Amino acid sequence: MRVGSGLQRAQSFMVLATGLYRVSHLVVGILAVAQHQRDSVLSWLGLTAAVASSLSVFGVARSRGWFGARPPLVDLVLVGCVLPFVVYAGGADRPSDIGWSMLLGGSASAVCAVALRRGAAVAGAVTALVVTHIAGYAMAGAEIAVIAAHLNALVSSAVLARVFWWYLRRQGRLLDAATEQAVAAEAARARYAERMAHHRALHDTVLATLTAIASGRADAGTAAVRERCGREAAYLRRLVQQQAEDDGIAPGTAAAVEHAVRSVESLGLRVTAQYGAPAEIPAHAAAALGSAVTEALNNVLRHAGTGRAYVTVTGSAGGVVVTVVDRGSGFDPLTVDKGMGLRSSIGERMREAGGAAEVDSAPGEGTCVALRWPA
């Protein structure tokens, strides 16, 4: 389940709602014991146990995002079924004195109604509470009307909590489905836009070159035409490779890196690019990667003393790793001026986007620039 999904929001709301419901009952219990049973040790112990059980149930729910399987059942037994008898044994032998402990059964039934998956389990929990509270009120000599009103509130708490949880869960799943459809549609539009960009590029480069050669306007034997054909052949190989990956690479990442490669190839640098299948990343991160790759390739062109570079795009845990490698002259990273592109333009750009850049080089051994998102 994705963080921030509709289903998770529904769960967070139910944890909050049932938690506030329990808090309201605990406040009543604290006031009742403080005013009328301050001398009853068992009442204070029972109230302390109820608070501890509440912290356990809702603390687990808060940390995990939902109720655990065991804490609600322990709360049901301790707060819902045992607490009334403990309070009665401490001297609360009138309906008005034992009422606060009975009230906590309502929030216990609400928690069970949303935490337990099976309807039979919820029915069993509510039945246990009903039997316990009938017995407790009977011991305290409560009238039938008081018992009936309390049982109605007890059962209503479970029913309403169950209905609310069903509705919110359904709405959360519908929201998640709609979000997934929107993301898929956006990805499809991005892929279509990328294909159209490739079609235009093919028209302006490969097709134009072939047409010029076929019509005799360009001599295929000249060095300039051969160099152009080599660059365009490399572009075609990358395009075929991307299609073979069944669109597994994130469109934004592919477009950004490909734009960087082609922009530097137009200046005479030959680039061999390999594309893997990383996860989709945000647009700002893809843009930062593309700019960093452009700067890294420009550095190869300006400083490496070689006419070839290698770019590899792979996936990491929920992100992307792009490496730019050359076999040129290399350098000592410790002696490089901090104002140069490797440290400022590349490193700062990646950090601002939430990524990282690492440079590995040595004199005579070439250079490897690794770009990661996220860091």
Side-chain angles (χ1 to χ4, degrees):
M1 183 176 58
R2 301 186 308 276
V3 174
S5 68
L7 181 58
Q8 188 181 45
R9 293 174 184 175
Q11 289 179 333
S12 297
F13 177 81
M14 288 306 301
V15 170
L16 176 62
T18 52
L20 292 176
Y21 192 35
R22 171 57 62 86
V23 169
S24 68
H25 292 173
L26 289 174
V27 170
V28 172
I30 293 171
L31 293 176
V33 174
Q35 290 180 5
H36 306 293
Q37 302 168 36
R38 64 172 61 94
D39 296 328
S40 175
V41 176
L42 288 179
S43 292
W44 283 111
L45 289 176
L47 182 60
T48 302
V51 172
S53 179
S54 301
L55 292 175
S56 174
V57 171
F58 295 101
V60 170
R62 176 67 177 173
S63 62
R64 298 181 181 177
W66 192 235
F67 297 101
R70 187 172 300 176
L73 294 177
V74 173
D75 183 75
L76 170 71
V77 174
L78 182 63
V79 176
C81 298
V82 175
L83 179 62
F85 297 104
V86 172
V87 174
Y88 179 84
D93 53 358
R94 294 180 301 175
S96 59
D97 293 337
I98 202 175
W100 70 267
S101 63
M102 296 294 195
L103 188 63
L104 285 165
S107 52
S109 68
V111 170
C112 288
V114 299
L116 303 179
R117 294 184 178 181
R118 297 183 180 275
V122 176
V126 174
T127 300
L129 289 170
V130 167
V131 172
T132 297
H133 289 204
I134 289 176
Y137 268 131
M139 292 170 55
E143 297 179 355
I144 297 298
V146 174
I147 298 176
H150 176 78
L151 295 182
N152 177 66
L154 187 69
V155 175
S156 297
S157 296
V159 172
L160 290 175
R162 190 75 173 184
V163 171
F164 287 157
W165 170 228
W166 169 83
Y167 177 77
L168 290 174
R169 181 175 52 194
R170 179 175 178 273
Q171 294 302 113
R173 288 173 175 170
L174 290 175
L175 176 61
D176 289 341
T179 302
E180 290 178 1
Q181 291 177 359
V183 170
E186 183 62 29
R189 285 193 293 269
R191 287 192 292 269
Y192 177 76
E194 184 181 4
R195 290 191 184 99
M196 293 304 298
H198 283 309
H199 293 167
R200 290 191 293 269
L202 288 173
H203 177 273
D204 296 339
T205 57
V206 178
L207 183 59
T209 301
L210 292 176
T211 301
I213 294 174
S215 63
R217 295 195 304 270
D219 184 1
T222 63
V225 174
R226 289 199 305 271
E227 179 66 23
R228 174 166 177 161
C229 289
R231 291 197 304 269
E232 294 174 358
Y235 169 63
L236 283 176
R237 281 193 296 271
R238 293 195 299 272
L239 181 60
V240 171
Q241 182 187 16
Q242 291 179 45
Q243 294 298 321
E245 293 289 342
D246 294 329
D247 295 326
I249 187 170
T253 305
V257 175
E258 183 59 36
H259 176 75
V261 170
R262 290 185 58 205
S263 66
V264 179
E265 280 185 330
S266 65
L267 300 177
L269 183 67
R270 296 184 62 184
V271 181
T272 299
Q274 296 289 329
Y275 294 93
E280 292 188 11
I281 65 175
H284 76 280
L289 275 173
S291 298
V293 171
T294 299
E295 184 61 26
L297 291 174
N298 284 334
N299 283 331
V300 174
L301 191 63
R302 291 193 297 261
H303 306 297
T306 179
R308 177 177 289 276
Y310 304 86
V311 175
T312 303
V313 183
T314 57
S316 63
V320 177
V321 177
V322 181
T323 57
V324 180
V325 178
D326 70 74
R327 298 172 182 171
S329 57
F331 62 94
D332 184 356
L334 298 178
T335 63
V336 174
D337 184 0
K338 293 184 178 180
M340 293 188 66
L342 283 175
R343 291 193 177 183
S344 60
S345 181
I346 295 177
E348 290 179 7
R349 181 177 285 111
M350 291 302 299
R351 283 192 296 272
E352 290 173 357
E358 297 179 2
V359 180
D360 184 16
S361 184
E365 297 183 7
T367 301
C368 175
V369 178
L371 310 172
R372 292 182 173 82
W373 193 94

